[in-house]
Amino acid sequence: MEYRKKKWSDTWHWCKNCSNWPTSDYDVRYTKPTSGELCNQCKSKEKDGECK
Ligand SMILES: [Zn+2]
């Protein structure tokens, strides 16, 4: 799983189909981030089984 966060944001995304998925100027993690916020849209996609 790849987690991405915009440099100036505290919100981590992990669904590539999230409308806020960062494509430039982002930090990347390959483990679940321990700081910052987790994106609500990514959370709901994951819950619905739509996280890609
Ligand atoms: Zn997201």
Side-chain angles (χ1 to χ4, degrees):
M1 186 71 80
E2 184 178 338
Y3 293 84
R4 292 186 186 184
K5 168 179 94 50
K6 284 274 192 184
K7 297 264 187 212
W8 59 86
S9 165
D10 273 338
T11 306
W12 290 97
H13 303 270
W14 62 97
C15 300
K16 293 184 174 64
N17 55 337
C18 176
S19 63
N20 296 313
W21 177 249
T23 53
S24 61
D25 294 326
Y26 58 83
D27 290 336
V28 63
R29 278 291 133 88
Y30 293 97
T31 55
K32 191 161 190 165
T34 51
S35 64
E37 302 285 315
L38 295 175
C39 171
N40 283 327
Q41 189 181 145
C42 289
K43 270 186 203 163
S44 83
K45 284 187 187 305
E46 186 168 75
K47 187 161 65 70
D48 296 341
E50 288 175 359
C51 183
K52 291 180 177 145

Coordinates of all heavy atoms in Angstrom, one line a residue:
M1 N 0.8 -1.2 0.0 CA 0.0 0.0 0.0 C 0.9 1.2 0.0 O 1.8 1.4 0.8 CB -0.9 0.0 1.2 CG -1.9 1.1 1.3 SD -3.2 0.9 0.1 CE -4.3 -0.3 0.9
E2 N 0.6 2.2 -0.9 CA 1.3 3.4 -1.0 C 0.5 4.6 -0.4 O -0.7 4.7 -0.8 CB 1.6 3.7 -2.4 CG 2.5 4.9 -2.7 CD 2.8 5.1 -4.1 OE1 2.8 4.1 -4.9 OE2 3.1 6.3 -4.5
Y3 N 1.0 5.3 0.5 CA 0.4 6.4 1.1 C 1.0 7.7 0.6 O 2.2 7.8 0.6 CB 0.5 6.4 2.7 CG -0.3 5.2 3.3 CD1 0.3 4.0 3.4 CD2 -1.5 5.4 3.8 CE1 -0.3 2.9 4.0 CE2 -2.2 4.4 4.4 CZ -1.6 3.1 4.5 OH -2.3 2.1 5.1
R4 N 0.2 8.7 0.2 CA 0.7 9.9 -0.3 C 0.1 11.1 0.4 O -1.1 11.1 0.8 CB 0.4 10.1 -1.8 CG 1.2 9.1 -2.6 CD 1.0 9.5 -4.1 NE 1.6 8.5 -4.9 CZ 1.7 8.6 -6.3 NH1 1.1 9.6 -6.9 NH2 2.3 7.7 -7.0
K5 N 0.8 12.1 0.6 CA 0.4 13.3 1.3 C 1.0 14.5 0.6 O 2.2 14.5 0.3 CB 0.8 13.3 2.7 CG 0.7 14.5 3.5 CD 1.1 14.3 5.0 CE 2.6 14.7 5.2 NZ 2.9 16.0 4.7
K6 N 0.2 15.5 0.3 CA 0.7 16.8 -0.3 C 1.6 17.4 0.7 O 1.4 17.3 1.9 CB -0.5 17.7 -0.6 CG -1.2 17.4 -1.8 CD -0.5 18.0 -3.0 CE -1.5 17.9 -4.3 NZ -0.7 18.4 -5.5
K7 N 2.7 18.0 0.2 CA 3.7 18.6 1.1 C 3.1 19.5 2.1 O 3.6 19.6 3.3 CB 4.7 19.4 0.3 CG 5.5 18.5 -0.7 CD 6.8 18.0 -0.1 CE 7.7 17.3 -1.1 NZ 8.5 16.3 -0.5
W8 N 2.1 20.3 1.7 CA 1.6 21.3 2.6 C 0.3 20.9 3.3 O -0.4 21.7 4.0 CB 1.3 22.6 1.8 CG 0.3 22.4 0.7 CD1 -1.0 22.5 0.8 CD2 0.7 22.1 -0.6 NE1 -1.6 22.2 -0.4 CE2 -0.6 22.0 -1.3 CE3 1.9 22.0 -1.3 CZ2 -0.6 21.7 -2.7 CZ3 1.8 21.7 -2.7 CH2 0.6 21.6 -3.4
S9 N 0.0 19.6 3.2 CA -1.2 19.1 3.8 C -0.9 18.0 4.9 O 0.3 17.5 4.9 CB -2.1 18.4 2.7 OG -3.1 17.6 3.3
D10 N -1.8 17.8 5.8 CA -1.6 16.8 6.8 C -2.4 15.5 6.6 O -2.5 14.6 7.4 CB -2.0 17.3 8.2 CG -0.9 18.1 8.9 OD1 0.3 17.8 8.6 OD2 -1.2 18.9 9.8
T11 N -3.0 15.5 5.4 CA -3.9 14.4 5.1 C -3.3 13.3 4.2 O -2.8 13.7 3.1 CB -5.2 14.9 4.4 OG1 -5.8 15.9 5.3 CG2 -6.3 13.8 4.3
W12 N -3.3 12.1 4.6 CA -2.7 11.0 3.8 C -3.8 10.3 3.0 O -4.9 10.1 3.5 CB -2.1 9.9 4.8 CG -0.9 10.4 5.5 CD1 -0.8 10.9 6.7 CD2 0.5 10.4 4.9 NE1 0.5 11.3 7.0 CE2 1.3 10.9 5.9 CE3 1.0 10.0 3.7 CZ2 2.7 11.0 5.7 CZ3 2.4 10.1 3.5 CH2 3.2 10.6 4.5
H13 N -3.4 10.0 1.8 CA -4.3 9.3 0.9 C -3.7 7.9 0.5 O -2.5 7.8 0.4 CB -4.5 10.1 -0.4 CG -5.1 11.4 -0.1 ND1 -6.4 11.7 -0.1 CD2 -4.4 12.6 0.1 CE1 -6.6 13.0 0.2 NE2 -5.4 13.6 0.3
W14 N -4.5 6.9 0.3 CA -4.0 5.6 -0.2 C -4.8 5.0 -1.3 O -4.5 3.9 -1.7 CB -3.8 4.7 1.0 CG -5.1 4.3 1.8 CD1 -5.8 3.2 1.6 CD2 -5.8 5.1 2.8 NE1 -7.0 3.3 2.4 CE2 -6.9 4.4 3.1 CE3 -5.5 6.4 3.4 CZ2 -7.8 4.9 4.1 CZ3 -6.4 6.8 4.3 CH2 -7.5 6.1 4.7
C15 N -5.9 5.7 -1.7 CA -6.7 5.1 -2.8 C -6.3 6.0 -4.1 O -6.5 7.2 -4.1 CB -8.2 5.3 -2.6 SG -8.7 4.4 -1.1
K16 N -5.9 5.3 -5.1 CA -5.5 6.0 -6.3 C -6.7 6.7 -7.0 O -6.5 7.6 -7.8 CB -4.7 5.1 -7.3 CG -3.4 4.7 -6.7 CD -2.5 3.9 -7.7 CE -1.1 3.6 -7.2 NZ -1.1 2.8 -6.0
N17 N -7.9 6.2 -6.7 CA -9.1 6.7 -7.3 C -9.7 7.8 -6.4 O -10.8 8.3 -6.7 CB -10.1 5.7 -7.7 CG -10.5 4.8 -6.5 OD1 -9.7 4.7 -5.5 ND2 -11.6 4.2 -6.6
C18 N -9.0 8.2 -5.4 CA -9.5 9.4 -4.5 C -9.3 10.6 -5.4 O -8.4 10.8 -6.1 CB -8.6 9.5 -3.3 SG -9.0 10.9 -2.3
S19 N -10.4 11.5 -5.3 CA -10.3 12.7 -6.1 C -9.2 13.6 -5.6 O -8.8 14.5 -6.4 CB -11.7 13.4 -6.1 OG -12.0 13.8 -4.8
N20 N -8.7 13.4 -4.4 CA -7.6 14.2 -3.9 C -6.2 13.5 -3.9 O -5.3 14.0 -3.3 CB -7.9 14.7 -2.5 CG -9.1 15.5 -2.4 OD1 -9.3 16.5 -3.2 ND2 -10.1 15.2 -1.5
W21 N -6.1 12.4 -4.6 CA -4.9 11.6 -4.7 C -3.8 12.6 -5.3 O -3.9 13.1 -6.4 CB -5.1 10.4 -5.6 CG -3.9 9.6 -5.9 CD1 -3.2 9.5 -7.1 CD2 -3.2 8.7 -5.0 NE1 -2.2 8.6 -6.9 CE2 -2.2 8.1 -5.7 CE3 -3.4 8.4 -3.6 CZ2 -1.3 7.2 -5.1 CZ3 -2.6 7.5 -3.0 CH2 -1.5 6.9 -3.7
P22 N -2.7 12.8 -4.5 CA -1.7 13.7 -4.9 C -0.9 13.1 -6.1 O -0.5 11.9 -6.1 CB -0.8 13.8 -3.7 CG -1.6 13.3 -2.5 CD -2.5 12.3 -3.1
T23 N -0.6 13.9 -7.1 CA 0.2 13.4 -8.2 C 1.5 14.2 -8.4 O 2.3 13.9 -9.2 CB -0.6 13.5 -9.5 OG1 -1.1 14.9 -9.7 CG2 -1.8 12.6 -9.5
S24 N 1.6 15.3 -7.6 CA 2.9 16.1 -7.6 C 3.1 16.7 -6.2 O 2.1 16.9 -5.5 CB 2.9 17.1 -8.7 OG 1.8 18.0 -8.4
D25 N 4.3 17.0 -5.9 CA 4.7 17.6 -4.6 C 4.1 16.9 -3.4 O 3.4 17.4 -2.6 CB 4.2 19.1 -4.6 CG 4.9 19.9 -5.6 OD1 6.1 19.7 -5.9 OD2 4.2 20.8 -6.2
Y26 N 4.4 15.6 -3.4 CA 3.9 14.8 -2.3 C 5.0 14.0 -1.5 O 6.0 13.8 -2.1 CB 2.8 13.8 -2.8 CG 3.2 12.9 -3.8 CD1 3.9 11.7 -3.5 CD2 3.0 13.1 -5.2 CE1 4.3 10.8 -4.5 CE2 3.4 12.3 -6.2 CZ 4.1 11.1 -5.8 OH 4.5 10.3 -6.8
D27 N 4.7 13.7 -0.3 CA 5.5 12.7 0.5 C 4.9 11.4 0.3 O 3.7 11.2 0.2 CB 5.5 13.1 1.9 CG 6.2 14.4 2.2 OD1 7.1 14.7 1.4 OD2 6.0 15.0 3.2
V28 N 5.8 10.3 0.3 CA 5.2 9.0 0.2 C 5.7 8.1 1.3 O 6.8 8.3 1.8 CB 5.6 8.4 -1.2 CG1 7.1 8.3 -1.4 CG2 5.0 7.1 -1.5
R29 N 4.9 7.2 1.7 CA 5.1 6.2 2.8 C 4.6 4.9 2.3 O 3.6 4.8 1.6 CB 4.2 6.5 4.0 CG 4.6 7.5 5.0 CD 5.7 7.3 5.9 NE 6.5 8.5 5.9 CZ 6.2 9.5 6.8 NH1 5.4 9.4 7.7 NH2 6.9 10.6 6.7
Y30 N 5.3 3.8 2.7 CA 4.8 2.5 2.4 C 4.2 1.7 3.6 O 3.9 0.6 3.5 CB 5.9 1.7 1.6 CG 6.2 2.4 0.3 CD1 7.2 3.3 0.1 CD2 5.3 2.1 -0.8 CE1 7.5 3.9 -1.1 CE2 5.6 2.8 -2.0 CZ 6.7 3.6 -2.1 OH 6.9 4.3 -3.3
T31 N 4.2 2.4 4.7 CA 3.6 1.8 5.9 C 2.5 2.8 6.3 O 2.5 4.0 6.0 CB 4.6 1.6 7.0 OG1 5.2 2.8 7.2 CG2 5.6 0.5 6.6
K32 N 1.6 2.3 7.2 CA 0.5 3.2 7.6 C 1.1 4.4 8.4 O 1.8 4.2 9.3 CB -0.5 2.4 8.5 CG -1.7 3.2 8.8 CD -2.9 2.3 9.2 CE -4.2 3.0 9.3 NZ -5.3 2.2 9.4
P33 N 0.8 5.6 7.9 CA 1.4 6.8 8.6 C 0.9 6.9 10.1 O -0.2 6.6 10.4 CB 0.8 8.0 7.8 CG 0.4 7.4 6.5 CD -0.1 6.0 6.8
T34 N 1.8 7.3 10.9 CA 1.5 7.3 12.4 C 1.2 8.8 12.8 O 0.8 9.0 13.9 CB 2.7 6.8 13.2 OG1 3.9 7.5 12.8 CG2 2.9 5.3 13.0
S35 N 1.4 9.7 11.9 CA 1.1 11.1 12.2 C 0.3 11.7 11.1 O 0.2 11.1 10.0 CB 2.4 11.9 12.3 OG 3.1 12.0 11.1
G36 N -0.4 12.8 11.4 CA -1.3 13.4 10.4 C -2.7 12.8 10.3 O -3.0 11.9 11.1
E37 N -3.5 13.2 9.4 CA -4.8 12.8 9.2 C -5.0 11.7 8.1 O -4.2 11.7 7.2 CB -5.7 13.9 8.8 CG -5.7 15.1 9.8 CD -6.5 14.8 11.1 OE1 -7.6 14.3 10.9 OE2 -5.9 15.1 12.2
L38 N -6.0 10.9 8.2 CA -6.3 9.9 7.1 C -7.5 10.5 6.4 O -8.5 10.9 7.0 CB -6.6 8.5 7.7 CG -5.4 7.9 8.4 CD1 -5.8 6.5 9.0 CD2 -4.2 7.7 7.4
C39 N -7.4 10.5 5.1 CA -8.4 11.0 4.2 C -9.8 10.4 4.4 O -9.9 9.1 4.4 CB -8.0 10.9 2.8 SG -9.3 11.3 1.6
N40 N -10.8 11.2 4.6 CA -12.2 10.6 4.8 C -12.7 9.9 3.5 O -13.4 8.9 3.6 CB -13.1 11.7 5.2 CG -12.9 12.0 6.7 OD1 -12.6 11.2 7.5 ND2 -13.2 13.3 7.0
Q41 N -12.3 10.5 2.4 CA -12.8 9.9 1.1 C -12.1 8.5 0.9 O -12.8 7.6 0.5 CB -12.5 10.8 0.0 CG -13.1 10.4 -1.3 CD -12.8 11.3 -2.5 OE1 -12.6 10.8 -3.6 NE2 -12.6 12.6 -2.2
C42 N -10.8 8.4 1.2 CA -10.2 7.1 1.1 C -10.8 6.1 2.1 O -10.9 5.0 1.8 CB -8.7 7.3 1.4 SG -7.8 8.2 0.1
K43 N -11.1 6.6 3.3 CA -11.7 5.7 4.3 C -13.0 5.2 3.8 O -13.3 4.0 4.0 CB -11.9 6.5 5.6 CG -10.8 6.5 6.6 CD -11.3 7.2 7.9 CE -10.1 7.7 8.7 NZ -10.5 8.7 9.7
S44 N -13.8 6.0 3.3 CA -15.1 5.6 2.8 C -15.0 4.6 1.6 O -15.8 3.7 1.5 CB -16.1 6.7 2.6 OG -16.0 7.3 1.4
K45 N -14.1 4.9 0.7 CA -13.9 4.0 -0.4 C -13.4 2.7 0.1 O -13.9 1.6 -0.4 CB -12.8 4.6 -1.4 CG -13.3 5.7 -2.2 CD -12.2 6.1 -3.2 CE -12.6 7.3 -4.0 NZ -13.8 7.2 -4.7
E46 N -12.5 2.6 1.1 CA -12.0 1.4 1.6 C -13.2 0.6 2.2 O -13.3 -0.6 2.0 CB -11.0 1.6 2.6 CG -10.3 0.4 3.1 CD -9.0 0.7 3.9 OE1 -9.2 1.1 5.1 OE2 -7.9 0.5 3.4
K47 N -14.0 1.3 3.0 CA -15.2 0.7 3.6 C -16.1 0.1 2.6 O -16.7 -1.0 2.8 CB -15.9 1.7 4.4 CG -17.0 1.2 5.3 CD -17.4 2.1 6.4 CE -18.0 3.4 6.0 NZ -19.3 3.3 5.4
D48 N -16.3 0.8 1.4 CA -17.2 0.3 0.4 C -16.5 -0.7 -0.6 O -17.1 -1.1 -1.6 CB -17.7 1.5 -0.4 CG -18.6 2.4 0.4 OD1 -19.1 2.0 1.5 OD2 -18.8 3.6 0.0
G49 N -15.3 -1.0 -0.3 CA -14.5 -1.9 -1.2 C -14.2 -1.3 -2.6 O -14.0 -2.0 -3.6
E50 N -14.2 0.1 -2.6 CA -13.9 0.8 -3.9 C -12.5 1.4 -4.0 O -12.2 2.2 -4.9 CB -15.0 1.8 -4.1 CG -16.3 1.2 -4.5 CD -17.4 2.3 -4.6 OE1 -17.1 3.5 -4.4 OE2 -18.6 1.9 -4.9
C51 N -11.7 1.1 -3.0 CA -10.4 1.7 -2.9 C -9.5 1.0 -3.9 O -9.3 -0.2 -3.8 CB -9.8 1.6 -1.5 SG -8.2 2.4 -1.3
K52 N -8.9 1.7 -4.9 CA -8.1 1.1 -5.9 C -6.7 1.6 -5.8 O -6.4 2.7 -5.4 CB -8.7 1.4 -7.3 CG -10.0 0.7 -7.5 CD -10.6 1.0 -8.8 CE -11.8 0.1 -9.0 NZ -12.9 0.8 -9.7
Ligands
ZN1 ZN -8.0 10.4 -0.2

